[in-house]
Amino acid sequence: MDASHHQRGSYRPASSPIEAWERAGERLRILLVVSSPIDEPERLNAELEIQEIYRQLLWSRVPAALIRLHPPTWRSLQTTLHARPFDIVHVISHARDSELQLEKEDGSTDWVSAQDLAALFRQTQVRLVVLNNCSSEYLGDELVLNGVPAVIATTRQLANDTATLLASALYASLARGSSAKEALEFIQRTLQREPGQCSRQGEVVTLLGPGAEEPLRPGLVNPGEPEYFPCEPPHNLPLARARNFRDRVSELQRLAELLSNGPTPFIGLLGLAGSGKSTLALELAHRASWRFTRGIAYISLRRTRPFDLVSLLTHLDWGLEETSARRQRALALYEMARGPLLLVLDDLEEASSEEAQDICDLLSAWDTSLGGRALLLMRHHRPEFDQLLQTNWLTVGQLPAQAACELVEEQLGGREAARARLGRHLPELPRLCYYHPKLLTLATSALQRGIPWQELATQLRQLAGKPLRQMEQLLHLTITRVIAESPLAGQLLDCWPVFAETTAEAAWRFVQAGRLPLTTDRLWQQQNEALEALQYATILERGETPSGPQCRMHPLISDYLRLHRWNELSQERRTEYQRRHLQYYIEVCKSNREVERLLYEWDDIALAIEQAQHLGLWEELLTLAEELVGVEGLPLLKRHQSKQALQILQVALEASARLQQPAREAVFLLHRGICYYRLAEYQQAYQDVASSLQLARRQGNEELISAAELELGRVCYRLMRYEEAEQHFATVHAQATSRGDQRRQADALHELGRLAYRRRQLESALRFLNEALQLWERLGDQAGLARTLHEQGRVHHELALQSQTPGKLDEAEALYLRSLMLRQQLSDHLGQEATLHQLGLLAFHRGDLQQAGSYYAQSMRLARELNDRFWIAHNQFRSARLLWREGQQQEALAQAQEALALCQVLGISLQREIEDWLQTPA
């Protein structure tokens, strides 16, 4: 599916077809069985067929769920069909005589007989099977004999374009509520009318089965948009994938075997630059992604230096950024051990000795019992990994001769086109290129750019035995030709080294031109032509991401551009390109505030910041910092972005100091203190906020003084310096009262109430909270009201327990319920999980165990969705106590132990309570 499906919100994540089925709701459920074995020479254009199906359903507003079977194996299909009922099963694969081509788990061909295929469909509720493959009539007969109501099959060979047209016509008809019989008639009329199809009357479809005249889903009347479920786990794999892997069949099969039965869970891939290590690993990761329901994490040591565990895992939304640095490693290992996870660590030749040791230590400490695996890619053997990998090394070498010839033919437009261009020299080109994939690609690209064979062959022979030098020479020849056709392409290549190996296309356009041209500008069109020329020359890869078009270059090409074109530029020109790189992010922030989108490009932002620091662009850095972290409430200052926020805040503080801007420095110190507070680094938070307060007082900035004073009180509260916290809160309250700032008054009163509750001064707590509540009501602040109602509920809850008067719990329950209602209206999921937990605790104290279990379950569901481990641990422990009370003692102890393990990782005070309870459960 193309990127438009991501942007429309129709591309839905799901790690398995069963999960996708459950998320589909009341939709027409279509199971897509797409088989594309690695050893099949004749490739199918399955993606185009899926896009056509989706397009027809979208145009007709059919609420359908397209669910892709992954992996497309006989066993997976059997399990899926018998686990959930599907309306349609649509098969895209090859067929022959009485067999259908599926895949084995290693990705190779598995020919399934008609009888074995039919056995899969017995006692399922499938209403229609579409066999969109060659000569599938016999297969369809077997399915009908085994109870499938209707089957659309083919009687002859199908060309790719005919198969796509068949699928398009079928779903256009079914979308109107037609029966399968009516759909068949529509398909036949379409094939007859379509240009080029009339001459192929033998390629027809047929309909089988007793249910052919019945509408597929007569009850599905409400319109809606279709959704596509690719059934892959969360991953951050690069976009580019090879179109086929005929040349790497044995390597892929060997890797699949090592994933299942290797002597260790870690595999090393060795090979020259450009030999295909990364492509091979990415293809394996995609094909085997069904094994890794916990996710797949990719990192290149060329782009992310030094090696950083949080950067590796951040896309999995485990919230590591919210955790203090001293706990991140333990928490990451805890999460990594919870299920099958694949790590792909690329370009390890770039790692320092310290980084290599850090990676070895991490992998050694990882509990891979539930299926964790790692691929380690490097250009040359590194002995640091020998103990970890043992014999699990695989060398990615030259292509087989036949595969190399096929690659040349494919790159030159097919077998006939290749023979017309090279004639008897066709077998010679792979040999001169040492059967090296990247060198072959560059050589064929040079031929496509018009470089004569004799000139190319001479260059290759002159550098015999030196493939890396050959690649440099071919790049020089190809780039020279491209620039001759499009001079703007040369400017784009000149400025590429300011980026990492991947960047947003808009950023590249901006750096080249000094501005981002409108799509209607002549410059935009010229840039398009230059980018297309670079793409045609295989210098550039372009793709779509959720944040927009993205460009990527192979590391070899990036290295060449840095070594040659970049070093040939004047210092002034290099400085200008680096300045523009930073300016691009400033402009994006100022023009449309798409800061959230920029988070997808953080590697490039970090590189731009590093370059600007080296150049001393302090004013520009300060401007970017103000756009990203200068105001409370910006995306980087919200949850899950603490790592990036701290990185830019550090730069902002350096810039403020160099430019002697104490007012700005005070703001950035406060915001860094808030980040440290959220990471539970309370000592560092205290230092930053205290420094901010000191600077704010010198500047006489009353608003900043109050904000810093309030935050300092919160930090002292966490440090259990209660008297100091009380002084800060009281000062904020007095200052806000004198200014008539009711919002700040309410904040201070709320914090004073929480502090009094912690010190068990319950009457004082109620007085402060009641005053805060009145101010929130006067201001109409629903969020503040919900927070204070929750705290009031806790106080009344404690008073009821102390008085041993169960009836007094009613008032606490009423306050909790009011808070919960407001938080639901505000979609405050973090607040909801806390209040639901307290309602569960209250029901437990009443002895209403069923109600308590219900509240804990609701709170746990939210905590799981948010990956909020604090409340996960609390709900696990409270549920354990509930199970013990219900007599399920073994399950209770197991849950309590699991909660204790999580508390030990998090370092939260609940740990002591659990340890005490485990000694004398009650």
Side-chain angles (χ1 to χ4, degrees), residues 352-633:
S352 66
S353 298
E354 292 76 13
E355 287 171 314
Q357 188 59 54
D358 186 29
I359 292 169
C360 287
D361 291 343
L362 172 70
L363 297 180
S364 298
W366 179 17
D367 181 356
T368 59
S369 304
L370 295 182
R373 297 291 185 269
L375 302 176
L376 282 65
L377 285 62
M378 61 200 83
R379 293 183 184 179
H380 52 80
H381 177 263
R382 296 196 60 162
E384 298 100 314
F385 298 104
D386 280 344
Q387 185 175 357
L388 197 68
L389 298 175
Q390 299 177 28
T391 60
N392 263 21
W393 292 95
L394 181 69
T395 299
V396 182
Q398 63 186 32
L399 296 177
Q402 182 59 37
C405 287
E406 290 175 359
L407 176 60
V408 170
E409 291 171 355
E410 180 182 312
Q411 292 292 113
L412 293 178
R415 179 172 299 178
E416 295 305 318
R419 288 177 176 174
R421 184 181 292 275
L422 292 176
R424 61 186 176 83
H425 300 294
L426 180 57
E428 189 177 357
L429 179 58
R431 187 172 65 254
L432 288 174
C433 292
Y434 303 96
Y435 307 100
H436 185 283
K438 191 60 183 177
L439 190 51
L440 281 167
T441 303
L442 292 172
T444 52
S445 175
L447 289 170
Q448 292 283 60
R449 305 310 303 176
I451 296 173
W453 161 251
Q454 290 302 332
E455 180 182 347
L456 176 64
T458 300
Q459 292 287 349
L460 292 172
R461 291 189 186 104
Q462 285 176 349
L463 294 170
K466 301 175 181 177
L468 294 179
R469 288 291 306 281
Q470 283 184 332
M471 283 187 274
E472 285 192 3
Q473 188 65 23
L474 288 180
L475 272 172
H476 176 74
L477 289 171
T478 304
I479 288 172
T480 301
R481 290 294 180 114
V482 171
I483 293 174
E485 298 173 12
S486 173
L488 197 63
Q491 295 180 33
L492 286 166
L493 293 175
D494 283 344
C495 64
W496 175 263
V498 305
F499 303 109
E501 286 164 12
T502 304
T503 195
E505 188 174 295
W508 199 8
R509 290 175 183 268
F510 185 98
V511 172
Q512 180 271 318
R515 63 185 178 90
L516 187 60
L518 300 173
T519 55
T520 54
D521 289 355
R522 173 60 182 155
L523 177 58
W524 181 277
Q525 183 57 39
Q526 290 173 335
Q527 288 178 331
N528 266 355
E529 292 168 359
L531 290 170
E532 287 168 3
L534 292 169
Q535 189 175 8
Y536 180 66
T538 67
I539 292 171
L540 168 68
E541 296 169 1
R542 299 168 79 186
E544 289 285 342
T545 70
S547 62
Q550 188 181 71
C551 296
R552 180 179 183 273
M553 284 193 190
H554 191 278
L556 283 171
I557 300 176
S558 290
D559 288 345
Y560 172 85
L561 294 175
R562 290 187 178 95
L563 182 63
H564 296 282
R565 299 190 67 86
W566 182 253
N567 286 338
E568 293 171 2
L569 295 177
S570 67
Q571 182 60 49
E572 291 76 15
R573 176 53 58 184
R574 292 200 296 265
T575 298
E576 177 60 19
Y577 283 147
Q578 290 171 331
R579 187 193 64 78
R580 289 178 185 178
H581 189 197
L582 187 74
Q583 189 64 35
Y584 167 74
Y585 299 115
I586 295 173
E587 292 294 329
V588 169
C589 292
K590 285 187 172 181
S591 61
N592 49 25
R593 311 299 296 178
E594 291 186 10
V595 179
E596 295 276 12
R597 182 174 65 83
L598 290 182
L599 298 179
Y600 291 101
E601 305 165 29
W602 191 258
D603 282 344
D604 265 331
I605 295 175
L607 183 57
I609 291 169
E610 180 183 339
Q611 292 168 347
Q613 285 179 285
H614 179 71
L615 295 171
L617 302 177
W618 302 112
E619 191 60 55
E620 290 90 339
L621 284 167
L622 206 52
T623 302
L624 178 63
E626 287 184 324
E627 295 295 331
L628 292 175
V629 290
V631 178
E632 204 169 348

Side-chain angles (χ1 to χ4, degrees), residues 123-137:
Q123 298 180 340
T124 65
Q125 299 180 40
V126 176
R127 299 176 60 84
L128 172 66
V129 174
V130 181
L131 298 173
N132 200 6
N133 30 42
C134 301
S135 305
S136 57
E137 187 175 11

Side-chain angles (χ1 to χ4, degrees), residues 255-410:
L255 285 173
E257 180 185 350
L258 291 175
L259 280 179
S260 299
N261 303 308
T264 82
F266 312 124
I267 305 169
L269 275 72
L270 298 171
L272 288 175
S275 60
K277 300 182 302 297
S278 298
T279 307
L280 181 65
L282 295 179
E283 185 69 14
L284 176 73
H286 280 288
R287 284 185 173 273
S289 63
W290 57 275
R291 294 175 180 267
F292 303 106
T293 53
R294 192 79 179 118
I296 302 174
Y298 171 92
I299 196 169
S300 165
L301 267 291
R302 290 175 59 88
R303 296 191 61 194
T304 305
R305 297 293 309 278
F307 172 75
D308 179 57
L309 186 59
V310 174
S311 295
L312 171 65
L313 302 172
T314 187
H315 68 285
L316 299 174
D317 291 330
W318 291 349
L320 300 180
E321 301 90 339
E322 301 172 37
T323 310
S324 63
R326 66 180 183 276
R327 297 196 180 277
Q328 283 177 347
R329 182 184 177 86
L331 187 54
L333 287 168
Y334 169 84
E335 292 288 353
M336 289 165 63
R338 288 181 56 204
L341 171 74
L342 176 65
L343 303 184
V344 183
L345 309 181
D346 204 352
D347 301 309
L348 287 178
E349 70 278 353
E350 299 287 336
S352 66
S353 298
E354 292 76 13
E355 287 171 314
Q357 188 59 54
D358 186 29
I359 292 169
C360 287
D361 291 343
L362 172 70
L363 297 180
S364 298
W366 179 17
D367 181 356
T368 59
S369 304
L370 295 182
R373 297 291 185 269
L375 302 176
L376 282 65
L377 285 62
M378 61 200 83
R379 293 183 184 179
H380 52 80
H381 177 263
R382 296 196 60 162
E384 298 100 314
F385 298 104
D386 280 344
Q387 185 175 357
L388 197 68
L389 298 175
Q390 299 177 28
T391 60
N392 263 21
W393 292 95
L394 181 69
T395 299
V396 182
Q398 63 186 32
L399 296 177
Q402 182 59 37
C405 287
E406 290 175 359
L407 176 60
V408 170
E409 291 171 355
E410 180 182 312

Side-chain angles (χ1 to χ4, degrees), residues 87-91 117-118 121 126-133 136-154 166 170 180-181 183-184 187 205-213 216:
D87 299 292
I88 301 175
V89 175
H90 186 111
V91 182
L117 181 67
F121 286 87
V126 176
R127 299 176 60 84
L128 172 66
V129 174
V130 181
L131 298 173
N132 200 6
N133 30 42
S136 57
E137 187 175 11
Y138 181 80
L139 293 168
D141 284 331
E142 286 294 323
L143 293 178
V144 170
L145 289 174
N146 281 271
V148 176
V151 179
I152 289 180
T154 63
L166 186 158
L170 170 64
K181 181 179 180 181
L184 176 64
I187 293 169
V205 293
T206 187
L207 182 66
L208 309 162
E213 298 187 11
L216 199 63

Side-chain angles (χ1 to χ4, degrees), residues 720-734:
M720 294 187 289
R721 291 154 61 169
Y722 296 140
E723 290 185 6
E724 189 176 346
E726 184 178 20
Q727 291 174 8
H728 289 299
F729 294 145
T731 299
V732 172
H733 181 256

